[in-house]
Amino acid sequence: MAIKFNETEKIFSIHTKNSTYQMKVDAYGFLLHLYYGRRTDGTADYLLTYADRGFSGNPYDVGQDRTYSLDALPQEFPCRGNGDFRSPALDVKTADGVYGCDLRYAGHRVSTGKYSIPGLPAVHAGEGEAETLEIILKDEAMNLQVCLLYGILPELDVITRAVRVQNDGKDSVFLEKVQSACLDFVGGRFDLLTFYGRHAMERNMQRTAVTHVCQRIGSRRGTSSHQYNPLLLLAEQDATEEHGACYAMSFVYSGGFQGEAERDQYNQTRMMLGLCEEQFSYPLAPGSVFHAPEVIMTYSGEGLGQVSRNLHKCINRHVCRGNYKNLTSRPILVNSWEASYFHFDGQTIRNLAREAAALGVEMLVMDDGWFGKRDDDNSGLGDWHVNEKKLGCSLKELVDDVNALGLKFGIWFEPEMINEDSALYRAHPDWALARPNRKPVRGRGQLVLDFSRKEVVDAIFDQVCDVLDQANIEYLKWDINRSICDVYTHGENSQETVLYDYMLGLYDFLERLINRYPNLLIEGCSGGGGRFDAGMLYYTPQIWCSDNTDAVDRTRIQYGTSFGYPVSTVGSHVSAVPNHQTGRVVSLKTRGIVAMSGTFGYELDFGRLSDAEKDEIRGQIATYKDLAGLIQNGDYHRLSNPFTDETAAWEVVSEDKDEALVFAVMLEIHGNMPVSYIKVRGLAPGALYMDMETKKTYSSDILMESGLPLVAWFGSHQSFYWHLKRQA
Ligand code: GLA
């Protein structure tokens, strides 16, 4: 059993392969956090210290013992109102305006398998792969029950957390803040790694010391956002890719969130992740239950690289679902967006498909512009009816033609959105989120549909199904191209719960869609990677990583993304040069190498390429097909930091260490250029590896100690690629 409870000491120990997590129910029934770190059979309650500390209050039932204060003790699920003045994980208010609660242990349950959460995405696992611990805490005065859920995947060193709040009282209460996971550390010095960005430049890594200032990131945009990713890493200050204790929290939720880290007055660190507390005051009626979304946690004593690999495996195996779960089953696609934007007809699509088929591409995706009145981004959203006039044929005719060329067919939708210039808006203006007596804020000229209302979700679901039923459509790109600003529903739900209910509506739509079309591959998208999170990956096993297809910028975007998400989830395409977002010209080879560390595809008009370029593309596709299995199942290593180093380099090593792929892009070029050496990681020590292209043999020890030389005397952004195989 991964979960142990020592009845005498009242200590919970959760063991994974390489980690132990410990909590204790103390003499007063408070649940204190003891330890999270390297696997141990020891007990960590000796870490708790007690002293009379000024201005750190004492719970009433400790009597005259002034040495007991929750302001100083590490807590498992801190709440406002019990004398802990640090940031709480739970804040509850009564209808009379009384804040705070007092949570005491009331029991626990252990079961095999992994819990799920009604209406929300969550890590899934077979009966034998996981265990669940539920700890029940109670506030007697309000008769509120708080259940802390822990899902343990011992093999992957993953512990998931979620929270269920149940009102057993007679009066409604308001949940003002519910975080899904909190970690308190009594000592240590840590850095916090967060991933900030903007449209077309997502997930830049920022590493800052955790100090006596509350660092808080998050999104109040109703989506997880380009600006901050719902992923927090905490690392010992001297931790590197390969060394040191590191922790991760990844939110399995696609709406607003917040993450906090702070060193307190006694130099203890608290880290938390959960729902955005702004515009959140969840009314919990008597007898009702609130589910806080899940957080995936993992620990490694062996650096940031291992923490990422734990998350990669968890997402690959236990978040993504369906027939297209594996990268190897994903079709290599060409997307029409950068090839023709809104300006196409059926013939343009057929031409692109014909060119694509001749190169070995497996699927054609018709992007935005095929429906309603949609020749630019000012109209049409909400009217999901095929514009046969524009296409010059029915959807079925077009799809049949593309299929006849040997290609699958995919299509773009933006189901959550509505343009004022649409039949849907004219019929149901109240279906758009808008505050009374105010003009709404537009984004990309569009408004947001109120997905907190079931009738709205149902109506769009019917429209989408009607299109999907017309032809053999095997892929859907699910886009959302703005942030949510006007948080007001014209439906019956409470105004305080709109953003949360919106997410339930979205997840319900997606769940129904994958149940009805189990063979449909859905790719998530939000102006590229504006909703790139583990929640979406439960429904869409790949997400368009960024609207920026520039290979050089992509090395940075994909570097940041790799901290939390596996290669199989990263939509990455070769596009035209000069690049449409940056104007940069980079070789086809470099563009290919960068796109190959993702769900590979193209986003350009093949008709404009030379024969030599087409030949090169044939080669890229053949190579990718060969390597997809290794890329999907291998262990990912970051070999450089492309924000600070002159190279971008990364590697995938098969689990048995028999094969490795090393990729590198030179980001700098200077006169009389020094040679860069890239140290390879994760190979079997004392072994020989052969480079499959040159047949040259290398010692693994030297590869790992001294590296591979990147010889780039002339030419910008040259790229390198080695396929190494262990010799018997
Ligand atoms: C977003 C997406 C693009 C493309 C356009 C279409 O920006 O990220 O890939 O689909 O919308 O309007």
Side-chain angles (χ1 to χ4, degrees):
M1 284 298 271
I3 302 159
K4 296 205 171 95
F5 183 60
N6 179 326
E7 289 281 353
T8 332
E9 304 290 334
K10 301 246 178 310
I11 289 179
F12 291 97
S13 295
I14 298 174
H15 297 295
T16 71
K17 205 167 154 190
N18 300 296
S19 74
T20 293
Y21 188 97
Q22 245 173 40
M23 306 164 261
K24 179 184 173 71
V25 180
D26 78 2
Y28 305 105
F30 292 112
L31 185 64
L32 302 180
H33 179 78
L34 294 182
Y35 175 81
Y36 189 22
R38 194 174 296 282
R39 190 187 160 115
T40 175
D41 290 322
T43 41
D45 53 345
Y46 75 91
L47 294 172
L48 302 173
T49 59
Y50 301 87
D52 182 357
R53 297 172 181 276
F55 291 85
S56 288
N58 320 108
Y60 202 80
D61 47 350
V62 306
Q64 296 309 316
D65 180 4
R66 294 192 185 178
T67 68
Y68 189 104
S69 176
L70 291 168
D71 206 21
L73 288 164
Q75 296 192 62
E76 188 58 22
F77 197 65
C79 54
R80 183 196 297 279
N82 61 12
D84 181 355
F85 292 92
R86 293 168 288 183
S87 190
L90 180 73
D91 194 7
V92 187
K93 190 174 91 175
T94 67
D96 300 333
V98 182
Y99 280 93
C101 57
D102 181 356
L103 295 177
R104 310 285 176 118
Y105 172 78
H108 72 272
R109 267 189 302 270
V110 174
S111 49
T112 55
K114 164 75 179 44
Y115 66 85
S116 54
I117 311 175
L120 287 169
V123 163
H124 55 83
E127 267 303 290
E129 290 175 312
E131 285 174 36
T132 292
L133 168 65
E134 292 169 72
I135 302 182
I136 315 288
L137 307 174
K138 269 196 179 148
D139 177 284
E140 290 296 341
M142 281 189 286
N143 214 351
L144 192 73
Q145 197 188 96
V146 175
C147 177
L148 307 182
L149 294 130
Y150 300 80
I152 298 98
L153 278 69
E155 278 307 301
L156 299 186
D157 291 324
V158 160
I159 300 175
T160 67
R161 293 183 58 176
V163 180
R164 193 170 64 222
V165 187
Q166 188 174 316
N167 184 357
D168 295 330
K170 292 192 302 297
D171 302 312
S172 279
V173 295
F174 295 87
L175 306 177
E176 301 291 303
K177 179 180 183 185
V178 189
Q179 299 297 276
S180 298
C182 172
L183 274 180
D184 275 4
F185 296 87
V186 287
R189 281 196 169 273
F190 297 100
D191 284 343
L192 178 71
L193 280 74
T194 52
F195 303 87
Y196 71 94
R198 56 189 183 273
H199 175 234
M201 205 61 218
E202 298 89 339
R203 289 172 294 285
N204 301 267
M205 192 266 275
Q206 173 172 282
R207 183 171 179 161
T208 52
V210 177
T211 60
H212 297 281
V213 61
C214 179
Q215 295 187 51
R216 179 166 147 185
I217 60 140
S219 162
R220 52 177 75 86
R221 294 168 177 269
T223 62
S224 48
S225 91
H226 299 87
Q227 285 70 16
Y228 291 100
N229 194 262
L231 172 72
L232 295 180
L233 269 65
L234 197 72
E236 279 181 337
Q237 284 193 333
D238 54 0
T240 63
E241 283 289 339
E242 291 184 288
H243 301 285
C246 299
Y247 304 83
M249 283 187 180
S250 176
F251 206 20
V252 191
Y253 188 69
S254 317
F257 75 96
Q258 65 190 35
E260 296 172 61
E262 185 177 8
R263 201 166 151 82
D264 75 4
Q265 57 180 335
Y266 306 121
N267 295 334
Q268 310 185 95
T269 292
R270 172 170 292 175
M271 166 161 95
M272 282 192 294
L273 184 60
L275 291 169
C276 176
E277 68 184 279
E278 293 175 30
Q279 291 187 291
F280 180 84
S281 175
Y282 196 95
L284 198 64
S288 57
V289 176
F290 173 78
H291 298 275
E294 180 166 273
V295 165
I296 302 172
M297 294 195 313
T298 186
Y299 157 84
S300 172
E302 279 152 32
L304 295 162
Q306 191 55 46
V307 156
S308 294
R309 288 188 286 280
N310 294 349
L311 289 175
H312 294 172
K313 290 206 170 85
C314 180
I315 287 175
N316 264 329
R317 299 176 191 172
H318 298 282
V319 174
C320 298
R321 300 180 291 170
N323 295 347
Y324 286 110
K325 188 172 163 181
N326 293 325
L327 185 66
T328 39
S329 58
R330 313 269 180 83
I332 295 172
L333 65 86
V334 60
N335 179 296
S336 69
W337 183 240
E338 288 195 21
S340 50
Y341 295 100
F342 291 107
H343 317 296
F344 61 86
D345 58 18
Q347 207 42 48
T348 326
I349 299 295
R350 283 187 194 89
N351 292 345
L352 187 60
R354 192 169 306 108
E355 293 274 5
L359 300 176
V361 171
E362 298 164 322
M363 181 164 74
L364 179 131
V365 177
M366 179 167 68
D367 210 280
D368 197 353
W370 56 267
F371 55 92
K373 181 183 133 204
R374 185 75 172 169
D375 291 322
D376 56 37
D377 57 17
N378 291 313
S379 62
L381 293 172
D383 296 343
W384 302 105
H385 312 296
V386 181
N387 186 340
E388 296 190 352
K389 198 162 159 239
K390 176 168 177 175
L391 293 183
C393 61
S394 71
L395 185 61
K396 178 161 172 35
E397 284 164 330
L398 181 61
V399 175
D400 285 350
D401 288 350
V402 170
N403 285 168
L405 292 164
L407 264 68
K408 294 175 189 288
F409 188 91
I411 198 165
W412 179 94
F413 277 96
E414 197 178 351
E416 297 154 79
M417 293 292 144
I418 186 163
N419 281 119
E420 288 151 275
D421 186 1
S422 69
L424 189 75
Y425 187 79
R426 283 184 280 274
H428 300 283
D430 65 310
W431 282 12
L433 290 170
R435 289 165 294 170
N437 306 320
R438 286 179 198 279
K439 296 289 179 206
V441 172
R442 292 189 183 121
R444 207 195 189 195
Q446 62 203 46
L447 305 182
V448 183
L449 277 171
D450 184 354
F451 264 36
S452 74
R453 292 171 68 178
K454 188 168 179 330
E455 67 270 36
V456 177
V457 170
D458 287 349
I460 303 297
F461 184 78
D462 289 346
Q463 282 199 41
V464 171
C465 292
D466 184 55
V467 174
L468 295 179
D469 291 342
Q470 287 174 32
N472 181 28
I473 294 170
E474 296 179 75
Y475 161 109
L476 186 155
K477 179 170 166 187
W478 183 298
D479 211 341
I480 165 169
N481 278 315
R482 60 160 293 177
S483 307
I484 302 174
C485 179
D486 293 87
V487 183
Y488 187 91
T489 180
H490 298 276
E492 280 159 16
N493 287 359
S494 148
Q495 299 303 341
E496 282 83 13
T497 65
V498 174
L499 289 172
Y500 179 82
D501 292 339
Y502 179 100
M503 292 312 300
L504 295 183
L506 168 68
Y507 290 143
D508 171 52
F509 191 136
L510 286 162
E511 188 67 30
R512 280 197 263 161
L513 200 62
I514 61 175
N515 284 332
R516 182 166 163 154
Y517 304 100
N519 298 322
L520 184 71
L521 168 61
I522 310 178
E523 175 158 353
C525 180
S526 172
R531 199 162 61 182
F532 202 119
D533 54 71
M536 282 310 287
L537 290 170
Y538 187 69
Y539 308 93
T540 72
Q542 63 192 55
I543 298 175
W544 183 225
C545 185
S546 177
D547 269 351
N548 186 345
T549 56
D550 174 285
V552 175
D553 276 355
R554 270 297 184 115
T555 63
R556 300 188 175 113
I557 295 167
Q558 292 177 195
Y559 167 82
T561 305
S562 80
F563 279 86
Y565 307 96
V567 165
S568 65
T569 64
V570 174
S572 200
H573 299 165
V574 173
S575 63
V577 287
N579 178 269
H580 292 193
Q581 292 78 41
T582 63
R584 189 159 19 213
V585 176
V586 175
S587 73
L588 185 52
K589 179 182 174 198
T590 298
R591 283 176 277 155
I593 278 180
V594 173
M596 268 185 215
S597 291
T599 60
F600 189 58
Y602 291 84
E603 181 126 357
L604 45 71
D605 182 358
F606 295 118
R608 297 184 186 191
L609 302 184
S610 67
D611 287 347
E613 286 172 315
K614 288 181 186 173
D615 277 347
E616 196 173 337
I617 286 178
R618 271 187 208 97
Q620 287 178 342
I621 290 173
T623 307
Y624 185 75
K625 281 189 180 167
D626 252 17
L627 301 179
L630 178 53
I631 294 175
Q632 151 89 23
N633 297 310
D635 288 333
Y636 188 89
H637 295 262
R638 290 176 290 272
L639 303 182
S640 76
N641 176 349
F643 286 96
T644 52
D645 297 342
E646 63 189 10
T647 57
W650 62 100
E651 181 194 12
V652 178
V653 187
S654 64
E655 275 193 305
D656 60 11
K657 299 183 186 300
D658 280 353
E659 269 185 273
L661 297 168
V662 182
F663 301 94
V665 176
M666 287 297 298
L667 300 173
E668 301 269 339
I669 189 77
H670 303 288
N672 202 3
M673 185 74 184
V675 173
S676 297
Y677 291 86
I678 287 296
K679 288 189 190 182
V680 179
R681 289 186 176 140
L683 301 180
L688 290 177
Y689 285 79
M690 182 185 276
D691 173 5
M692 298 318 291
E693 197 186 326
T694 61
K695 305 295 176 211
K696 192 170 161 48
T697 302
Y698 297 92
S699 140
S700 62
D701 302 316
I702 301 178
L703 284 174
M704 292 192 285
E705 288 297 325
S706 297
L708 283 162
L710 306 190
V711 183
W713 307 130
F714 191 79
S716 68
H717 305 111
Q718 293 183 52
S719 54
F720 303 82
Y721 148 78
W722 293 267
H723 183 186
L724 303 171
K725 276 198 183 168
R726 178 156 37 163
Q727 302 302 289

